[in-house]
Amino acid sequence: MGFRSEEMCLAQLFLQSGSAYDCISELGEMGLVEFRDLNPSVSSFQRRFVSEIKRCEEMERILGKRSLLNILLEVELSEVAKNKEKLQRNLLELTEYTHMLRITHTFMHSRSRVSCHSPALMFISGLIQRVKVEAFERMLWRVCKGYTILSYAEVDESLADLDTVYGIRVLSLSLSPAHGILLYDFHSYHCHLYPHPETDEERADVMDSLRTRIHDLQNVLHRTEDYLKQVLHKASESAHSWVLQVKKMKAIYHILNLCSFDVTNKCLIAEVWCPVSDLANLRKGDATVPSFVNRIPSSDTPPTLLRSNKFTSGFQSIVEAYGVGDYREASPAPYTIITFPFLFAVMFGDLGHGSVMTLFALWMVLTEKDHKRRRPGNQVWTTFFDGRYIILMMGLFSIYTGLIYNDCFSKSLNIFGSAWSVKAMFTKQEWTNETLQTNALLTLDPNVSGVFSGPYPLGIDPIWNMAVNRLTFLNSYKMKMSVIIGVIHMSFGVVLSVFNHLHFRQKFKIYLLFLPELLFLLCLFGYLVFMIFYKWLAFSVRDSQLAPSILIHFINMFLMQESATTPLYPGQIGLQVFLVVVALLSVPVLLFGRPLYLYWLHHGGKSLGVHRVFRRVSEEDLSPSVVHDEEEGLSDSGGPREFDFGDVFLHQAIHTIEYCLGCVSNTASYLRLWALSLAHAQLSEVLWAMVMRLGLRMSSRLGVLFLVPVFSVFALLTISILLVMEGLSAFLHALRLHWVEFQNKFYSGTGVKFAPFDFSLLPSVFEQDGLL
């Protein structure tokens, strides 16, 4: 990860028509170039590869909306599906025949008695739907004129076929000429007719044969279903790769539509933005990569490329949340790795909570390969997982600030032993037994020898956790700390702007922008930080009562009047007046300096430095040098271009007002570090007092059992409120401070991000860019 965006160049690729698809595919695997549209005036529906994109969209629609089973049945398993359907129908017929023989066995005796009187009559049996029984019986009566005997009973098993859910036995007594008419009527009512054996021996043989055939069919169907399951399982494993392959094909054809053909239509010409450091890799690719790469001059502003890895990608996303920097501009991302977690930890300082957050992030980091393989669809979880290294750094910094605050789940840790001693108060006869009996609150006097032996080795002394004025002490400490951190943070952002001015060889901005901004900030708020440190160092415990209020002195500084209180140091009034005058003089320089200089330069004045940056191509290219103008007021040819003084002055006035007012408001805005830290500590203390203390105070044997649900509630509230809600709140406030007070000082956020043609970014990035 670099401190400045990569140097880019515009290259021209010549692709043969036959191998263009393979070349673009390999470029997508490499992810080195961003293609330019060489057909901006051609409609999307009139480009050469529109039909191929439509076919890809149709296949994508099929894979996305239709079930995998239907696709396999229609394409690959149609014959197997047809055979399975035939087997199921045969099994259904045999099952119906079995039920019919079992139920009609009792009607055979009735047939033998009727046959003795009318030997010409015959017995017909079958199955029919229950809802059609009444209509079928009416039809038989009318056709046979009453010469029928109809008996029916329901099948006790539900059959799979939709046409024969319920069965009926039909006993028909008719002459042979009516037999053909009845068969036609049976089929019109979807009756399934089956032959019935004449004797019991034949019936038994048929039943045995039916059982054997049914068993064989069931085995065949079971094996067919196993085969289908195996095929579907293999297909489901390949479904994701099928979808990605279709998306890749569609993306390749989209890139081919951006290219233009030569006059012979045998060669495709593409223009790409490529990092200069990767140009050699592009030329030394495999055989399928085009070997002819020509670097061409261009006056267009290249896209911004800031390289990142899995550790820095999250911090780079934080920087780009407010915009992409200009080409070759300094990147705040390397500094964000430290500053952003630190600002978060100042508001979230707790050793216990930071440890829980660190363990959670460490678990995600150690098992990141498994999580990537699972591809979870939960967007909330994906967001947390993508920011696992940010959470890890925030947790580690929270552990550090928790040690500084000496705060662990709202309790202090006595690691090195307190530097305050109660024994010295009795030894020096400051306290007696009567003092203990008559005073509910006692005050340790650090002026007494032996009471205070020195500062705590790391962080705040644990004795403050028992003090009544603990909140007053911490408020003063954290409020001053927030102001110090804020001024240092803003000053660091202003100082980083020098690197941009020096890189672009804009020396006038150092004198007319950087120095006035830095003087205005340090003469006012830098002096406030100086007074804080001076008060800490100049006033000891013995004369602490004489220490004046810094806020009163700071207000009197703007009023340019002498304070009624004791001055901090000799000559304070003179120095403060000088600093205020310097800060006020910086404002007109900041307001008029740049517009007047550009106006003077536009009318032929002498410049303060070199304002043109010459970027030459590699020596093996025969193209001329590339001249890139970085200075306002100059044209690409070196001469003056049209200059609007009013427009430049208006923009500079907006910048001046925003900066001067922002220094005041942003310094006050850093007090949120104090407010959020206080809120987090107080919520943690309230949660401990109202939940855990109830379980710890029970002295009976049931107290251990009662402690289990109490600890569960405490853990649940700690995670949901203090870690998740408070953590998100501190994250958002740190994000705001990081942009407005630091990143905005030198980072424009108005550039265009380098968007390489990269298959590893499928499918999210291409969908967001509208390519798919």
Side-chain angles (χ1 to χ4, degrees):
M1 185 179 191
F3 290 86
R4 193 175 298 277
S5 60
E6 292 281 332
E7 183 179 359
M8 307 293 293
C9 65
L10 185 63
Q12 198 173 44
L13 306 181
F14 296 90
L15 313 173
Q16 296 182 0
S17 300
S19 60
Y21 183 92
D22 296 333
C23 294
I24 299 298
S25 177
E26 186 169 349
L27 289 175
E29 299 293 342
M30 298 170 65
L32 298 178
V33 296
E34 175 186 347
F35 285 83
R36 297 180 67 186
D37 190 1
L38 300 183
N39 308 302
S41 60
V42 181
S43 174
S44 300
F45 301 98
Q46 297 177 350
R47 303 202 178 190
R48 185 179 293 265
F49 299 97
V50 173
S51 58
E52 286 80 358
I53 293 179
K54 289 183 178 179
R55 287 199 294 267
C56 293
E57 289 178 348
E58 180 64 21
M59 181 58 65
E60 187 179 9
R61 184 188 64 83
I62 293 174
L63 292 173
K65 296 182 178 181
R66 300 182 61 185
S67 63
L68 185 61
L69 179 61
N70 294 335
I71 298 174
L72 293 176
L73 290 179
E74 290 180 5
V75 181
E76 297 184 5
L77 301 178
S78 58
E79 294 296 330
V80 179
K82 291 179 181 178
N83 294 334
K84 180 181 178 181
E85 184 178 357
K86 292 179 180 179
L87 292 174
Q88 289 178 342
R89 188 167 293 278
N90 292 336
L91 179 62
L92 179 63
E93 292 178 355
L94 295 178
T95 305
E96 290 178 351
Y97 197 5
T98 303
H99 285 294
M100 191 273 296
L101 292 177
R102 179 176 55 81
I103 295 176
T104 57
H105 177 64
T106 57
F107 293 99
M108 290 301 298
H109 300 287
S110 301
R111 183 201 168 193
S112 61
R113 290 194 298 268
V114 175
S115 298
C116 296
H117 302 282
S118 302
L121 300 180
M122 60 183 175
F123 182 81
I124 301 175
S125 59
L127 285 84
I128 190 175
Q129 287 186 2
R130 181 181 181 185
V131 295
K132 298 181 180 181
V133 171
E134 183 177 355
F136 182 70
E137 185 176 359
R138 189 182 306 111
M139 182 272 299
L140 284 179
W141 179 264
R142 292 174 181 175
V143 173
C144 299
K145 299 180 180 180
Y147 293 99
T148 57
I149 299 176
L150 180 63
S151 300
Y152 58 87
E154 290 187 4
V155 179
D156 54 358
E157 181 180 350
S158 178
L159 302 178
D161 190 68
L162 297 178
D163 296 332
T164 56
V165 180
Y166 300 99
I168 177 176
R169 271 69 49 204
V170 180
L171 179 61
S172 176
L173 301 176
S174 63
L175 299 175
S176 58
H179 180 62
I181 299 176
L182 286 175
L183 289 179
Y184 175 78
D185 292 333
F186 289 160
H187 291 298
S188 65
Y189 278 85
H190 299 284
C191 294
H192 293 183
L193 301 180
Y194 299 98
H196 198 283
E198 297 292 337
T199 61
D200 293 340
E201 291 77 8
E202 294 179 358
R203 176 182 172 279
D205 293 340
V206 172
M207 290 289 289
D208 294 337
S209 176
L210 290 176
R211 293 191 189 96
T212 304
R213 293 173 62 186
I214 288 174
H215 183 266
D216 295 340
L217 285 176
Q218 288 178 346
N219 290 335
V220 174
L221 283 173
H222 181 69
R223 293 178 181 178
T224 303
E225 291 177 356
D226 290 341
Y227 173 73
L228 287 174
K229 290 180 180 179
Q230 292 177 2
V231 174
L232 292 176
H233 180 70
K234 293 180 180 179
S236 63
E237 295 178 350
S238 304
H240 182 71
S241 61
W242 293 351
V243 174
L244 288 182
Q245 187 64 30
V246 173
K247 289 182 180 295
K248 288 182 179 181
M249 293 174 61
K250 187 177 177 182
I252 292 173
Y253 284 120
H254 173 79
I255 295 299
L256 290 174
N257 278 335
L258 302 180
C259 304
S260 63
F261 284 84
D262 63 346
V263 292
T264 62
N265 285 335
K266 295 182 180 180
C267 179
L268 273 78
I269 302 175
E271 291 185 2
V272 296
W273 288 111
C274 178
V276 175
S277 58
D278 292 332
L279 193 60
N281 297 331
L282 185 64
R283 287 171 172 167
K284 297 178 182 179
D286 296 336
T288 57
V289 176
S291 57
F292 190 67
V293 180
N294 181 28
R295 183 174 175 179
I296 59 177
S298 175
S299 60
D300 297 338
T301 302
T304 302
L305 171 60
L306 293 169
R307 299 187 185 274
S308 61
N309 50 38
K310 64 180 181 180
F311 176 75
T312 60
S313 60
F315 298 97
Q316 185 65 42
S317 300
I318 292 177
V319 172
E320 295 176 355
Y322 292 95
V324 181
D326 288 341
Y327 175 65
R328 299 296 290 164
E329 192 176 36
S331 172
Y335 314 104
T336 305
I337 298 176
I338 302 299
T339 58
F340 183 83
F342 179 73
L343 290 179
F344 172 87
V346 172
M347 297 178 281
F348 197 77
D350 190 286
L351 177 61
H353 300 156
S355 300
V356 175
M357 183 179 293
T358 302
L359 292 177
F360 173 68
L362 190 61
W363 170 74
M364 288 193 293
V365 170
L366 295 178
T367 59
E368 60 183 10
K369 294 183 179 179
D370 297 335
H371 293 299
K372 289 181 180 179
R373 195 179 299 113
R374 294 173 189 171
R375 299 186 186 94
N378 191 337
Q379 187 175 1
V380 177
W381 166 252
T382 304
T383 303
F384 278 101
F385 178 74
D386 292 340
R388 58 192 180 278
Y389 289 100
I390 301 178
I391 300 176
L392 178 62
M393 294 297 293
M394 291 190 305
L396 293 175
F397 275 85
S398 297
I399 293 176
Y400 168 74
T401 54
L403 290 174
I404 298 298
Y405 296 157
N406 201 356
D407 204 357
C408 180
F409 296 111
S410 75
K411 296 299 171 185
S412 298
L413 301 178
N414 192 0
I415 301 176
F416 304 101
S418 177
W420 294 78
S421 175
V422 179
K423 182 180 179 180
M425 297 294 292
F426 290 97
T427 305
K428 302 297 181 178
Q429 301 298 321
E430 295 290 335
W431 287 355
T432 61
N433 293 332
E434 183 180 356
T435 305
L436 298 178
Q437 296 175 0
T438 56
N439 293 277
L441 297 176
L442 298 175
T443 302
L444 292 175
D445 188 1
N447 292 317
V448 178
S449 177
V451 173
F452 182 67
S453 58
Y456 196 68
L458 179 63
I460 297 176
D461 198 295
I463 199 173
W464 284 103
N465 194 44
M466 299 184 298
V468 178
N469 59 339
R470 173 176 179 267
L471 190 59
T472 304
F473 168 74
L474 292 180
N475 278 344
S476 176
Y477 168 76
K478 293 183 179 180
M479 182 173 61
K480 293 181 176 62
M481 177 195 65
S482 301
V483 174
I484 295 172
I485 293 176
V487 174
I488 294 176
H489 199 217
M490 290 189 295
S491 302
F492 181 57
V494 175
V495 170
L496 288 179
S497 63
V498 177
F499 296 99
N500 287 331
H501 303 332
L502 293 176
H503 176 78
F504 295 121
R505 301 184 183 181
Q506 298 171 337
K507 189 179 296 184
F508 79 99
K509 289 187 177 181
I510 298 178
Y511 303 114
L512 301 178
L513 291 179
F514 165 69
L515 289 179
E517 290 177 352
L518 189 63
L519 288 175
F520 182 84
L521 179 62
L522 294 182
C523 288
L524 297 181
F525 301 99
Y527 178 70
L528 177 62
V529 174
F530 166 76
M531 286 194 296
I532 293 175
F533 279 102
Y534 185 86
K535 182 179 177 181
W536 282 345
L537 298 176
F539 293 89
S540 62
V541 175
R542 299 185 181 277
D543 53 358
S544 60
Q545 300 295 331
L546 303 176
S549 174
I550 295 178
L551 183 60
I552 300 299
H553 282 277
F554 192 62
I555 295 175
N556 292 329
M557 175 181 175
F558 289 96
L559 299 178
M560 294 186 182
Q561 64 182 11
E562 187 175 355
S563 176
T565 59
T566 305
L568 286 173
Y569 54 88
Q572 178 183 356
I573 304 299
L575 178 61
Q576 291 181 168
V577 172
F578 172 76
L579 294 177
V580 171
V581 171
V582 172
L584 293 178
L585 291 178
S586 301
V587 176
V589 176
L590 186 62
L591 179 61
F592 299 104
R594 178 171 171 267
L596 292 177
Y597 170 75
L598 294 179
Y599 180 81
W600 179 63
L601 187 67
H602 177 73
H603 288 79
K606 185 179 179 181
S607 63
L608 297 178
V610 179
H611 301 295
R612 297 177 61 80
V613 180
F614 294 88
R615 297 187 292 109
R616 296 185 178 273
V617 296
S618 56
E619 295 181 356
E620 67 255 18
D621 292 330
L622 300 179
S623 57
S625 300
V626 180
V627 180
H628 183 61
D629 182 19
E630 298 288 352
E631 176 55 54
E632 306 106 321
L634 293 179
S635 64
D636 295 335
S637 60
R641 64 187 178 189
E642 185 179 355
F643 177 76
D644 188 353
F645 178 81
D647 184 65
V648 175
F649 179 76
L650 179 61
H651 283 82
Q652 187 62 32
I654 294 175
H655 171 74
T656 303
I657 295 173
E658 181 184 8
Y659 180 81
C660 295
L661 295 181
C663 287
V664 180
S665 62
N666 294 340
T667 304
S669 182
Y670 272 95
L671 294 178
R672 71 184 65 209
L673 298 175
W674 155 54
L676 268 293
S677 176
L678 177 63
H680 184 80
Q682 291 302 308
L683 280 176
S684 180
E685 186 174 354
V686 169
L687 190 61
W688 179 277
M690 298 184 64
V691 180
M692 280 299 295
R693 188 175 296 176
L694 296 178
L696 296 175
R697 282 182 174 179
M698 294 190 65
S699 58
S700 61
R701 295 181 178 178
L702 297 178
V704 178
L705 299 178
F706 182 71
L707 191 60
V708 175
V710 169
F711 179 77
S712 302
V713 174
F714 175 77
L716 178 63
L717 294 177
T718 299
I719 294 175
S720 60
I721 297 178
L722 295 179
L723 289 180
V724 178
M725 296 178 60
E726 280 287 316
L728 290 176
S729 176
F731 181 89
L732 293 176
H733 285 284
L735 192 65
R736 191 265 180 194
L737 291 175
H738 197 272
W739 164 250
V740 178
E741 284 79 16
F742 167 64
Q743 187 173 325
N744 194 27
K745 296 293 187 297
F746 69 99
Y747 188 73
S748 62
T750 58
V752 179
K753 184 178 180 181
F754 176 72
F757 179 63
D758 191 355
F759 284 150
S760 64
L761 304 178
L762 282 172
S764 58
V765 172
F766 285 111
E767 291 177 349
Q768 293 174 3
D769 293 342
L771 300 184
L772 296 182

